[in-house]
Amino acid sequence: MSTTRRRGRPAGPASGDTRERILAAAREEFSARGYDRTSVRSIGKAAGVDAALVHHYFGTKEQVFAAAIEVSFAPAQDMPAAMAGGDAGAMGERVARFMLRIWENPQTREPLLAVVRSAVTNDTAAAVLRGLVSRTVLARVAGELRAPDPEFRVQLAAAQLVGIVMLRYVVKVEPIASADPERVVAMIAPALQRYLTDPDVRP
Amino acid sequence: MSTTRRRGRPAGPASGDTRERILAAAREEFSARGYDRTSVRSIGKAAGVDAALVHHYFGTKEQVFAAAIEVSFAPAQDMPAAMAGGDAGAMGERVARFMLRIWENPQTREPLLAVVRSAVTNDTAAAVLRGLVSRTVLARVAGELRAPDPEFRVQLAAAQLVGIVMLRYVVKVEPIASADPERVVAMIAPALQRYLTDPDVRP
């Protein structure tokens, strides 16, 4: 997560705390009300500060949202390490297990569900998510691949994972919603392995 | 789509038209405002009828929504036929191509996107979608499979397709958003084929 302040205001002793408090309030607001119904003003109110201070630290509503979802996506930052650590033939399995672990944990799942809700209902939120996901998670994961067309590969694998998230955690359709996580890992790992490493995968 | 009326009101000469007009208005309202912000009253207003008439034809808001999304999902009703028609070894390819065709066409895509938005943001809408998808599309598709655990298989395949929809049509991340549809079909067909027919797939 970037902690660089955007503008030239000198940092007072409590400025770090204030920034964190605004960020926490923004995550709460976006999560509870969605992107459309959240405003810089409502975030300021929830944080107990003036809207101008929200602007000062983060810029526009879009930029506050970007900072907020960066926190929600922080657990995904370890995906490249999870991919790289171990036998290349079991990469699909590690990727699947890593993703399921994040989504099985309510503390990491709920903020991500909130991001999905905002991105699906608002084009600006979708664009911010697209930027973050492309620039950080997908690009870094693609950097771990030795095969050609790594971005396309990673997106095919991401599509498989996102679809599991939708059926299991969002729409909650049975039997996949209650299936043992390790069973789901075993089922999708071969598809992920192929997308990530098979030479025939190309755009 | 079911055309059975829920209550005992005798059908006047224009009752079919009225029902269709309410249904069209409901689809418009749910699509434009989402499930949360649509009411039986707003649907009635959009259709130029009293809210009581909306209740009369469809029941609760939940039941109007169910009728509305059934129309949006009508194109998917031909999936079982698409699966069954041809060589069993190319079933994954046919399923992928059928799904991409529905989503590449704006006339069938936009109503489905509206359903996704409602289901992601509202638990009741998600439950209605879950019921419809389980009962009609997934169950009927599962009925075409000769392999054991057809429901689990179909959901794994559906997850792959839903993920493509999310990355390509909702979040629109590149390069997958602009990839040639037939290329996407070729890439995901083996995974679908495995989910639908491989004996090792089991819950």
Side-chain angles (χ1 to χ4, degrees):
Chain A
M1 185 190 105
S2 164
T3 52
T4 314
R5 283 173 301 115
R6 304 282 156 93
R7 297 176 196 183
R9 188 174 183 266
S15 68
D17 286 355
T18 306
R19 190 186 185 284
E20 290 310 308
R21 200 166 78 236
I22 294 170
L23 193 56
R27 296 184 68 211
E28 277 283 328
E29 288 289 297
F30 283 124
S31 173
R33 300 149 70 104
Y35 187 86
D36 281 337
R37 281 182 280 181
T38 299
S39 65
V40 167
R41 179 187 291 264
S42 72
I43 292 168
K45 197 173 166 194
V49 302
D50 195 84
L53 204 61
V54 179
H55 279 301
H56 164 73
Y57 279 111
F58 296 97
T60 62
K61 168 175 158 181
E62 203 175 315
Q63 291 170 315
V64 192
F65 182 72
I69 68 173
E70 207 164 329
V71 180
S72 303
F73 270 84
Q77 302 286 335
D78 295 329
M79 177 70 98
M83 282 176 69
D87 169 24
M91 192 188 274
E93 190 183 320
R94 285 196 300 278
V95 166
R97 188 170 294 122
F98 181 84
M99 199 275 309
L100 267 285
R101 197 169 295 156
I102 288 175
W103 282 88
E104 287 297 306
N105 177 353
Q107 281 200 298
T108 42
R109 177 176 66 235
E110 292 308 321
L112 288 169
L113 276 176
V115 173
V116 171
R117 285 189 201 105
S118 283
V120 164
T121 49
N122 182 285
D123 284 344
T124 305
V128 173
L129 175 64
R130 182 164 60 240
L132 175 75
V133 168
S134 305
R135 205 176 52 247
T136 64
V137 189
L138 296 185
R140 292 181 53 225
V141 169
E144 291 298 323
L145 296 180
R146 299 292 155 261
D149 303 306
E151 288 83 8
F152 189 63
R153 291 171 180 278
V154 166
Q155 290 177 14
L156 288 167
Q160 175 66 84
L161 296 172
V162 165
I164 294 289
V165 164
M166 291 296 289
L167 267 75
R168 184 175 168 93
Y169 304 105
V170 179
V171 181
K172 296 176 188 157
V173 65
E174 296 294 356
I176 209 169
S178 304
D180 183 83
E182 274 301 310
R183 197 65 215 152
V184 177
V185 168
M187 289 298 99
I188 65 176
L192 298 172
Q193 185 70 27
R194 178 174 154 269
Y195 293 142
L196 297 173
T197 63
D198 190 317
D200 284 345
V201 172
R202 56 186 201 284
Chain B
M1 185 189 104
S2 164
T3 53
T4 313
R5 283 173 301 114
R6 305 280 158 94
R7 297 177 197 186
R9 189 174 184 264
S15 69
D17 287 354
T18 306
R19 191 188 185 281
E20 289 310 308
R21 201 166 76 236
I22 294 170
L23 192 56
R27 296 184 69 211
E28 277 283 327
E29 287 289 297
F30 284 123
S31 173
R33 301 151 69 105
Y35 187 85
D36 281 336
R37 281 181 279 182
T38 298
S39 64
V40 168
R41 178 187 291 265
S42 72
I43 292 167
K45 198 174 167 194
V49 302
D50 194 84
L53 205 61
V54 180
H55 278 301
H56 163 75
Y57 279 111
F58 295 97
T60 63
K61 169 174 157 181
E62 205 176 314
Q63 290 170 316
V64 192
F65 182 71
I69 69 172
E70 206 164 330
V71 180
S72 303
F73 270 84
Q77 303 285 336
D78 296 328
M79 176 69 98
M83 281 175 70
D87 169 25
M91 192 188 273
E93 190 182 321
R94 286 196 301 277
V95 166
R97 187 171 293 121
F98 180 84
M99 199 278 306
L100 267 285
R101 196 169 294 155
I102 289 176
W103 282 89
E104 287 296 306
N105 177 353
Q107 281 199 300
T108 42
R109 178 176 65 233
E110 292 306 321
L112 288 170
L113 275 176
V115 173
V116 171
R117 285 188 203 104
S118 283
V120 164
T121 49
N122 182 285
D123 284 343
T124 304
V128 174
L129 175 63
R130 183 165 60 241
L132 175 75
V133 169
S134 304
R135 204 175 54 247
T136 64
V137 189
L138 297 185
R140 291 181 53 225
V141 170
E144 291 299 324
L145 296 181
R146 298 292 154 264
D149 303 306
E151 289 84 8
F152 190 62
R153 292 170 180 278
V154 166
Q155 290 178 13
L156 288 167
Q160 175 66 84
L161 296 172
V162 166
I164 294 288
V165 164
M166 291 295 290
L167 266 74
R168 185 175 168 94
Y169 304 105
V170 179
V171 181
K172 296 175 189 158
V173 65
E174 296 295 355
I176 209 167
S178 304
D180 183 85
E182 274 300 311
R183 197 65 213 151
V184 176
V185 168
M187 290 297 100
I188 65 176
L192 297 172
Q193 185 69 27
R194 180 175 152 270
Y195 293 142
L196 297 173
T197 61
D198 189 317
D200 284 344
V201 171
R202 58 186 199 283

